[in-house]
Each structure stands twice: as C-alpha cells, then as structure tokens.
Amino acid sequence: EMKIFLKTEDEINLMRKANQLVGLTLAELGKHIKPGVTTLQLDRIAEEFIRDHGATPTFKNFPNPFGEPFPACICTSINDVVVHGIPSDKDVLHEGDVISIDCGTLLDGFNGDSCYTFCVGEVNEEVKQLLRVTKESLYLGIEQAVAGNHVGDIGYAIQNHCQSYGYDIVREFTGHGIGKAMHEDPPIPNFGTKGNGVMLKAGMCIAVEPMITLGDRKVGLLPDKWSVVTRDHKPAAHFEHTIVVRKGKAEILSSFVEVEHLERLNF
Ligand code: MG
Ligand code: MG
C-alpha cells in the first residue's frame, strides 16, 4: 500500500526553500558550463554553494541498488548518459555536448530535487529540439498535476507530446513523491493513460521528471554501476521540477527562471 504524505502550508514553505536552493544551484552551475570545464569542477561548485546556504547535498552517499554510495553532490549526465552520471576530472565538456545536471538538497528537514539539461556552446538543431520538446513535456505534465486529476494524466501528457516528435520515453525511472524523504510515494511515470492511477490531492508534493531519448528508449548500466546510457548511444534529455499539487494550478517549487524568488528567499 502506498504512503502518501500531504503537506501543510508550513511544510510547503520549507519545501519551497529547499527547492529554490536547488534552482539557485542549477542557475549558478549554468554560469560555469562551457567547453573545457570538468564535471568534477561543477560538483565542487555545487557542494560549496549548497553548504554555504546551510543545506546538505542529498545525493552525496545516496545508495544505489547495490548498496554503493553515490560519491558526489550532483549527477552529471553527458550526451548518451540519461541519468546518474558521476562527476569526474576525466569528463571534460566539449562544444556541442548536452549535459543534464540533477541536484538535490536537504534543508530544514525537507528535500529539493530538480534537473536541467544544458547546452555546451552551440548544439545541433536535432538535439536542441529534443531539449525543447522534453522541457515542454515537463510543463505539459505539470499542467495536469491539479487536484482531482490522476497520475496517469501527467504521464499521458508527457508521453503524447514526446511521441508526437518520434522520441522515446525511458521507463525504468520515474518521477516521485518528495518531502522529508527524497523519494516518497507515489511514483510518477512519464507515460500513462488519462484517468488512471492515484488521484492527485492538494498538498501532494511530487517531482515530475521526463527522461526522453532521441533514438530508442533502451538503456544500459555502465560498469561504474551508476551511469545509465542509451544502448544506441543517441543523446537523451532530462528536465525535472518539484511541484505542489493545488486546486486549479500546480505551484512549481524549484523554478530558477523567476529571479524574484531570490528576494523572497532572504538567503
Ligand atoms: Mg532529480
Ligand atoms: Mg527526482
């Protein structure tokens, strides 16, 4: 049976702080993404930024299914790496790459979780479209995340949009409830049927995170036991926001586009 924790407005305020710190961290990292930078440098910047704001990087030491701790603060997934890429001084960004950076923070007992796929310099049109459509599908999914709708409405909106461009949807990983734990019920798949699944209620906090491939959706695990890659080695895109379900319209908690959040945060 699923355990879904509805959040009070006080708890949502804490969720917002943790998530806006993730958004700010991603915005800070965005300034440093250029050819020649290593993913380990990005990880150092993220760790300092997160700790300077009084939070803990949740991903650090988070165990994989083999019980091995994740060695870094952010997941850096380049090109054909879909998710869970490990920062390394050997991974240098090159012109034309795309890199998804997934980041999590724990602040005042609540979790933030968000991911953004960045371009390194000029990226070819085919891959830029993949990024644009994946991001659009995230917002279409979020539009469905209103009280009274179902989890399947979110998945359907994402799947329908991405498949209309011929893209494929990774199924091994999903979005999730989030709160005091980084992963709570319910799972939020990026595919589904309208009206199916758990009914959404006001106060549910969920992470919506389409992982979309330019080619085939089949993925494999690298020997590092973390990095998930497309088997055809075509690129993937991953965008994620943590949101709170409300009546009428969901609220995005992890936005870093809206800079007025900076003032509201009072960091
Ligand atoms: Mg994430
Ligand atoms: Mg997540």
Side-chain angles (χ1 to χ4, degrees), residues 95-108:
E95 179 86 17
D97 285 345
V98 290
I99 175 173
S100 80
I101 300 186
D102 199 344
C103 180
T105 63
L106 182 69
L107 181 64
D108 295 332

Side-chain angles (χ1 to χ4, degrees), residues 1 45-46 62 113 124 154 187 219:
E1 194 172 312
I45 293 165
F62 196 88
D113 188 8
N124 79 46
I154 298 173
V219 293

